[in-house]
Amino acid sequence: RELDIWLHLKTPPPSSAQHKTVTLVVTPFKKWCAPRDILYQQCRFSSKCVRRELFCDGRVNCAQHGKEPADELYCKPTPLSPISDPWTISDFIFISALTLLLISVILALSYAVIRRTRIVTKREHSNNFTQRDTAMIFNSVCDIPQDLLPSCPPLHPPPYSPM
């Protein structure tokens, strides 16, 4: 077993009021890796390989042979996204409009149900004939006794054979 440690210490000038700190990064590595290895990537100027996610993470994980660390050299700068307020005025307008639309739909459906109920109720009331009304209608159409109401069969059925 072997553990390689690289220390690179920079001290601030004596006139600065910065605190002195030391950060020790311990990175496990493989002694070699294939070029198409999906988990490991080879360090520049070396045969050693470290995990791909450790490249461009802001910490030196490969041995440093020059001024620039090998695993932090060709990193694309990530633009800092501005921290925005989670709620903007357009969000409130959208939520208000959506709420108004939802209330309108609920009111329209309620009105349609109430109106439909009233129409059905009116039809039921208009179709409720009293026995006296039924007797008057049948008496005007059929000359039959009251005990045969409410049906009114024809007096003479039509013939089924040609005459």
Side-chain angles (χ1 to χ4, degrees):
R1 302 249 172 206
E2 171 182 330
L3 177 64
D4 294 335
I5 297 177
W6 295 279
L7 292 177
H8 184 90
L9 300 175
K10 286 186 181 179
T11 57
S15 61
S16 74
Q18 292 181 345
H19 296 288
K20 296 178 181 178
T21 59
V22 174
T23 303
L24 181 64
V25 178
V26 179
T27 305
F29 65 91
K30 289 171 72 175
K31 293 194 183 224
W32 62 272
C33 60
R36 293 186 180 177
D37 193 330
I38 60 171
L39 297 177
Y40 286 86
Q41 183 174 340
Q42 185 174 357
C43 292
R44 191 169 175 221
F45 308 119
S46 172
S47 64
K48 294 177 177 60
C49 303
V50 297
R51 299 277 304 197
R52 286 188 178 273
E53 62 263 15
L54 297 177
F55 277 76
C56 298
D57 66 346
R59 298 189 183 269
V60 178
N61 297 294
C62 290
Q64 191 169 344
H65 294 286
K67 289 185 176 182
E68 296 289 329
D71 60 321
E72 303 293 321
L73 185 59
Y74 295 110
C75 300
K76 294 179 182 176
T78 55
L80 296 175
S81 60
I83 298 173
S84 63
D85 187 22
W87 295 99
T88 61
I89 190 71
S90 61
D91 293 336
F92 285 117
I93 292 172
F94 176 75
I95 291 171
S96 300
L98 191 62
T99 304
L100 223 73
L101 179 67
L102 186 62
I103 290 171
S104 300
V105 167
I106 290 172
L107 287 175
L109 287 173
S110 300
Y111 176 75
V113 167
I114 291 170
R115 189 167 180 209
R116 176 79 174 145
T117 305
R118 286 183 183 165
I119 290 172
V120 169
T121 306
K122 280 184 182 179
R123 283 185 188 161
E124 287 175 358
H125 287 302
S126 66
N127 289 340
N128 287 342
F129 292 114
T130 63
Q131 191 167 5
R132 191 182 64 125
D133 295 335
T134 308
M136 283 178 40
I137 292 171
F138 281 114
N139 282 339
S140 65
V141 174
C142 309
D143 292 328
I144 58 173
Q146 288 285 341
D147 59 339
L148 296 178
L149 289 178
S151 65
C152 181
L155 296 176
H156 302 288
Y160 289 93
S161 61
M163 290 191 192

